[in-house]
Amino acid sequence: MDTMTQSAPLPFPSAWRDRHLLDLERLQAAELFAILSTAEQLKALTDGCRRKISLLSGKTCANLFFENSTRTRNSFSLAAKRLGADTVEFSSAGSSVAKGETFVDTAKTIEAMGVDWVVTRHQTPGTPHLLARELGCSVLNAGDGPHEHPTQGLLDILTILQHRGPRDWQSASLDPSQLLAGMTVAMVGDIAHSRTARSNIWGLKSLGADVIICGPPTLVSPRWEEIGFEVAHRLDDIVERCDVLNLLRIQFERQQTRPFPSVREYAALYAMNGDRMRRAKSDILIMAPGPINRGVEITPEVADGPHSVILEQVTNGIAVRMAALWLLSGASDIAASESNPPR
Amino acid sequence: MSRPTPTLLQPIVIDGGRIVDPANGVDRIGRLLIIEGRIAELDPCDGDCPGDAYWIDAQQRVVAPGLVDLGAELRQPGREEDETIQTGSNAALAGGFTSVLCCSNTNPVIDSAAAVELVTQIAQRLGGVRVYPIGCLSKGREAAQMAELAILAEAGAIGFSDSPRAMPNDALLKRALDYCRMLDLPIFDRPEVPGLAEGGIMHDGQVSLVLGLKGLPTEAEDLAVARDVRLAEATKGRLHVGPVSTMGAIDMIGRVKSRGVPISASVCPQNLHGSDALLRSFDSRFKVHPPMRSPAHVESLQQAVADGTIDAIQSGHMPRAREKKGNDLDLAPFGAATLETTLAATLTDMIRTDILSWSRAIECLSTNPARIAKLDAGTLGKGAPADVTLIDPDAAWTVRPSEFLSRCQSSPMEDRELFGRVTHTIVGGRLLFVRVEESTAVV
């Protein structure tokens, strides 16, 4: 049974100053560390029988989802509730958006009802940035088209740290930019349409990991190499030196033309299967942001096997989102007090 | 307005300014006399100036032939929420333009004599900037069948285009280039292969890759330019290709020109002054067409203007209402108000940086566009229509779209400090725009 207990507030890590969480590309290692370590603390606080704490009671989180979502939406909702906040749920289907209202006006209307955070998902890159300019409350990006999905990137990184990071990775004495040094992480699959990839690569790079971007040339641009990432077009070429494989779903719904001849051919080249597992490092981590297409990017024996941390990723998602809400609530207050100093 | 204004067709003396007239090889301090709407004399002595002349002290100013824009959307009839011929004319005058070629994408489109005459008559009644309609190249702008080009020409169309939509029908373009030889009128094509550009929002490059925004690849423009110039060469038709934005386009235009094929090309100021990095803000004011490209393309375009590969700088004025531009990037239309910043942007980023001389800049903004459109404009030669623009080259100002005379308030130059402001715009000997310090007036 859920219980509500009064906890001593967590400190706001001084590294976190922003009012919004829009992307990982522009976050420094110290900021990433602030969220990740806060997430770990909050996860510990809400584990076991004590599911709810009242850190954010009296505050309200609005979930504005203009695209379908199951896990992210529920994860944000649960995160807010576990911290004692109220939630407002919005879906574009059947709303005023369907009547022609712009999404900015819709967001402003919801904000006018008195919310502290707007969590938004939209099919167009940059929409959270637009809302951040238009709204007074904090904005959290829950996925903007193929651009970024910062909390997904953070929960992936948190999962890697828990399994493969330094034992004392939460220690403030470590250099956050070296937390994942020596670790090789491959993002495999539909990079072109993946917001998860675009958040992971920046976060992983900031924490010192070597990132490989792997997929067919029609889904992995050579420009990634110009930007400084290793690109591979065959999973077989890299599988033996990877510490982590993050297997991305082929997003058929975002593709205007089929970027490979057949699903069968794609699976032959890129699916993580038993044969490739036998060639991989013995402690390899298998991740997937979900939903997964069994038999396409991952076979059932791997998805359900001992190296898979797919369900742990889901659990960590709530912790990361709790941390984001908590830090943004503080950053928001700090920003407000700085712009309106007490008389 | 604190100063008296001249009565209609009162003689005007513009005294002491730096007269830049590339058509006549003039670039020196001098005096200009205007009588009965025409240039009467360069450097008249005091005795030649009529006693009732209206004198304009042009010291520290540049006196140039009125600017000619090769393509601005005026949006009337049918899209008056974006712009009207009145507001577009006012914006043009404030930007130093005295002639504007009006794009055919009104609603209804300009594919009939009636539509040509409607635009012309509204503009004439307003008595502002000279407006020359471009007729549709294809009937209904549907790229299936040639519009009635000769009838459109008879009604006053000065060229043909479906721009800003590219012409996807190769055979139709070839036929039209062939057909137009008898009319001796140009075809303006905005080069882009639609299939390669479909759904694109910004330049296809590193920035679009990181932002996850669908790109407009350079090859979409390069292939279309290759087709266009090859068809112009084959038919000997009059082709103006533009606005262009890529190194590949410049390369092909240069190669064909070196073979003596008389094509012409233009570029928009936003492609000369800003790169795709500006879209990192996800701000729709930078969603323009052609898209802002990478810095390497920008630099190549600037050089191509300087070395003559590109003939003209056109505003690319695509006004769109605020409620449209306020939407997310997918839904926000391409476009911006550029008539009022084209000259200042050119001055700031190309003249003050020594990429262009004043003479070459005026050639690109006035002399060459007038030649391409076969207009009696673009010169301060004796007897020419008195279309004159006076510019204070040292005036520094910050772009505030809310102060634009255009109905559109979206500008990729917003908040930029630019140098150079138009102080007077004279059309046919009539002083139609005056800016005195911070006061602006369309007379």
Side-chain angles (χ1 to χ4, degrees), chain B residues 14-18 29-31 56-61:
Chain B
I14 301 170
D15 193 29
R18 177 181 171 183
I29 306 295
R31 178 187 281 177
I56 298 173
D57 178 4
Q59 288 188 62
Q60 314 301 322
R61 307 264 165 87

Side-chain angles (χ1 to χ4, degrees), chain B residues 277-300:
Chain B
L278 290 165
L279 243 317
R280 291 205 66 109
S281 61
F282 294 104
D283 194 322
S284 69
R285 69 193 146 121
F286 301 113
K287 185 179 175 185
V288 292
H289 204 214
M292 293 173 157
R293 303 242 179 231
S294 67
H297 289 279
V298 174
E299 194 178 325
S300 296

Side-chain angles (χ1 to χ4, degrees), chain A residues 242-288:
Chain A
C242 289
D243 298 289
V244 180
L245 281 180
N246 201 339
L247 303 160
L248 306 175
R249 183 175 65 90
I250 297 297
Q251 306 204 29
F252 294 110
E253 73 279 12
R254 290 182 188 276
Q255 296 165 1
Q256 287 162 338
T257 53
R258 183 67 67 84
F260 43 78
S262 68
V263 170
R264 192 169 72 130
E265 180 164 305
Y266 179 86
L269 289 170
Y270 300 103
M272 196 59 191
N273 53 27
D275 178 51
R276 291 192 171 107
M277 282 300 290
R278 282 186 280 282
R279 291 166 45 213
K281 287 184 178 178
S282 59
D283 57 352
I284 190 170
L285 279 190
I286 299 295
M287 305 177 76

Side-chain angles (χ1 to χ4, degrees), chain B residues 50-103:
Chain B
D52 63 341
Y54 179 79
W55 285 70
I56 298 173
D57 178 4
Q59 288 188 62
Q60 314 301 322
R61 307 264 165 87
V62 169
V63 181
L67 309 186
V68 178
D69 191 19
L70 280 175
E73 296 186 11
L74 298 182
R75 310 295 281 166
Q76 186 181 3
R79 295 280 184 257
E80 288 83 355
E81 71 278 17
D82 298 329
E83 193 79 287
T84 64
I85 293 173
Q86 171 92 70
T87 56
S89 170
N90 292 347
L93 293 171
F97 290 93
T98 54
S99 297
V100 168
L101 274 59
C102 166
C103 296

